[in-house]
Amino acid sequence: MDISKIFDHKKIIFSLEIFPPKKDTPYNVIYNTLLKLRGIPADFISVTYGAGGSKAQRDKTIEIAALILSTYHIEPVAHLTCVNSDKGEVLSALEQLKANQVQNIMVLRGDISPDVPPKEDFRHASDLAAFIKAYDSSFNLLGACYPEVHYQAESMEKDIEHLKIKIENGVTHLITQLFFDNSKFYEFREKAEKAGIHVPIEAGIMPITSLRQIERTVALSGASVPAKLSRLFSRYGENPKALFDAGIYYATEQIIDLIDHDVRGIHLYTMNNVETATRVSDAIQNILEAENTPTNAA
Ligand code: FAD
């Protein structure tokens, strides 16, 4: 199913993101994770694509996306990066996706590794979007966006200009990079709307539940850390259980504020952590249900 249609009847959607098992993780771990995640009422589950873009990574993402659909009957979104792929490789991924009825693709450029020179067929995610739409327009495309600006962009304005090309080339729905400061999202959304971007923008939220995770996440995403989050980490840094609760509290509060500001979707970066995903989901399900129930007002 084309998930952009969900926005026709839902005010706010809720989705989860998982990643395929890493090399040293037994493969069946992901089956157990999915078995538990299926209890969460998610509109879709997206499956990331390992950096580097090898065929083995592509196969894993597609296999897991296909399983989400066939076994759990939840709509999957398969991430697909292009910077290390040529047209032939992308075509073979599209054929695999079609054969497995996976209709939604998150089109991404991928990070450029200093050790792997990029291939030349696709320079930006927007090139991948155009290529996929020309191959088969029934694929529904999602794209990434950056409330705190992509690290290679000259400015927010330029980044938004480039985002517009992604949408012109077929992307119907955006998901943000994770952020901890909602004001960054509101500023970005306002600028994007002023620039003529009107597709739904889902907010990417990652609950931070350990000290290791915050260091790694901030280093990788460049997200700014508000004083309130830092304070929670200083206060509970020595107590893993209290820190876990504080991380869930922060993410939940962030989400409720976003809902109060009419966000169109919450995309939870689960990091394959079922407990985190369940706790956050439980805390907001009644709110999501209330928001998505049409009122009887005349
Ligand atoms: P692009 O949209 O191509 O943008 C990259 C840079 O190029 C930006 O600075 C942009 O301003 C500029 N640009 C874009 N188009 C043009 C143009 N036409 N002309 C000039 N400049 C242009 N990585 C993975 O490896 N696997 C994943 O599964 C994955 N999932 C992600 C999911 C989300 C929601 C997000 C936010 C990121 C994800 N990433 C993933 C990371 C992503 O691959 C990196 O952030 C990457 O550096 C940029 O990818 P992009 O698709 O946003 O690129």
Side-chain angles (χ1 to χ4, degrees), residues 208-257:
I208 298 290
T209 51
S210 74
L211 278 185
R212 220 182 110 243
Q213 194 191 354
I214 188 92
E215 281 154 18
R216 198 177 137 71
T217 304
V218 170
L220 286 175
S221 67
S224 43
V225 179
K228 181 173 180 177
L229 186 57
S230 299
R231 271 201 312 277
L232 289 175
F233 275 85
S234 312
R235 189 178 280 263
Y236 302 115
E238 303 295 315
N239 183 332
K241 284 188 179 166
L243 192 61
F244 190 93
D245 282 354
I248 299 293
Y249 154 76
Y250 190 88
T252 305
E253 195 183 53
Q254 221 191 325
I255 293 171
I256 293 172
D257 182 73

Side-chain angles (χ1 to χ4, degrees), residues 17 47-52 79-81 106-112 123-127 143-146 150-153 158-159 162-163 165-166 175-178 267 269:
E17 180 171 306
V47 188
T48 65
Y49 188 90
H79 293 212
L80 185 62
T81 66
M106 175 86 184
V107 291
L108 295 150
R109 186 197 68 181
D111 283 318
I112 298 171
R123 294 188 56 213
H124 305 291
S126 51
D127 302 331
C145 64
Y146 302 83
H150 184 262
Y151 67 96
Q152 290 171 313
K158 279 275 169 206
D159 214 16
H162 301 145
L163 200 53
I165 305 175
K166 229 186 282 201
I175 300 185
T176 72
Q177 173 65 290
L178 65 93
H267 184 69
Y269 292 107

Side-chain angles (χ1 to χ4, degrees), residues 120-191:
E120 294 189 348
D121 285 355
F122 305 98
R123 294 188 56 213
H124 305 291
S126 51
D127 302 331
L128 179 62
F131 182 80
I132 296 176
K133 280 292 180 187
Y135 167 75
D136 183 342
S137 62
S138 69
F139 278 114
N140 174 53
L141 308 182
L142 291 81
C145 64
Y146 302 83
E148 297 187 63
V149 187
H150 184 262
Y151 67 96
Q152 290 171 313
E154 282 165 46
S155 63
M156 169 77 83
E157 285 65 31
K158 279 275 169 206
D159 214 16
I160 288 177
E161 251 177 55
H162 301 145
L163 200 53
K164 279 187 80 174
I165 305 175
K166 229 186 282 201
I167 292 160
E168 281 156 19
N169 289 0
V171 163
T172 59
H173 162 184
L174 298 169
I175 300 185
T176 72
Q177 173 65 290
L178 65 93
F179 59 90
F180 304 114
D181 181 348
N182 286 0
S183 70
K184 305 280 181 197
F185 175 83
Y186 302 136
E187 282 162 32
F188 164 75
R189 183 176 62 176
E190 195 182 330
K191 285 190 176 160

Side-chain angles (χ1 to χ4, degrees), residues 15-170:
S15 57
L16 307 175
E17 180 171 306
I18 60 164
F19 54 79
K22 302 235 168 6
K23 259 194 201 142
D24 47 359
T25 310
Y27 210 73
N28 66 355
V29 169
I30 194 70
Y31 300 133
N32 291 332
T33 304
L34 282 170
L35 199 63
K36 292 179 190 149
L37 283 180
R38 83 178 159 168
I40 296 179
D43 290 298
F44 67 85
I45 299 182
S46 83
V47 188
T48 65
Y49 188 90
S54 70
K55 177 166 180 345
Q57 286 164 330
R58 189 158 57 237
D59 288 349
K60 270 194 202 170
T61 299
I62 297 176
E63 184 189 328
I64 295 167
L67 179 90
I68 290 171
L69 183 62
S70 64
T71 306
Y72 302 111
H73 311 293
I74 300 171
E75 210 47 51
V77 171
H79 293 212
L80 185 62
T81 66
C82 60
V83 73
N84 292 316
S85 302
D86 59 29
K87 287 182 180 168
E89 288 163 322
V90 169
L91 270 180
S92 106
L94 297 179
E95 279 157 16
Q96 266 175 280
L97 288 165
K98 257 184 113 158
N100 286 288
Q101 278 100 47
V102 177
Q103 199 182 347
N104 302 287
I105 305 176
M106 175 86 184
V107 291
L108 295 150
R109 186 197 68 181
D111 283 318
I112 298 171
S113 155
D115 307 324
V116 186
K119 292 194 177 169
E120 294 189 348
D121 285 355
F122 305 98
R123 294 188 56 213
H124 305 291
S126 51
D127 302 331
L128 179 62
F131 182 80
I132 296 176
K133 280 292 180 187
Y135 167 75
D136 183 342
S137 62
S138 69
F139 278 114
N140 174 53
L141 308 182
L142 291 81
C145 64
Y146 302 83
E148 297 187 63
V149 187
H150 184 262
Y151 67 96
Q152 290 171 313
E154 282 165 46
S155 63
M156 169 77 83
E157 285 65 31
K158 279 275 169 206
D159 214 16
I160 288 177
E161 251 177 55
H162 301 145
L163 200 53
K164 279 187 80 174
I165 305 175
K166 229 186 282 201
I167 292 160
E168 281 156 19
N169 289 0

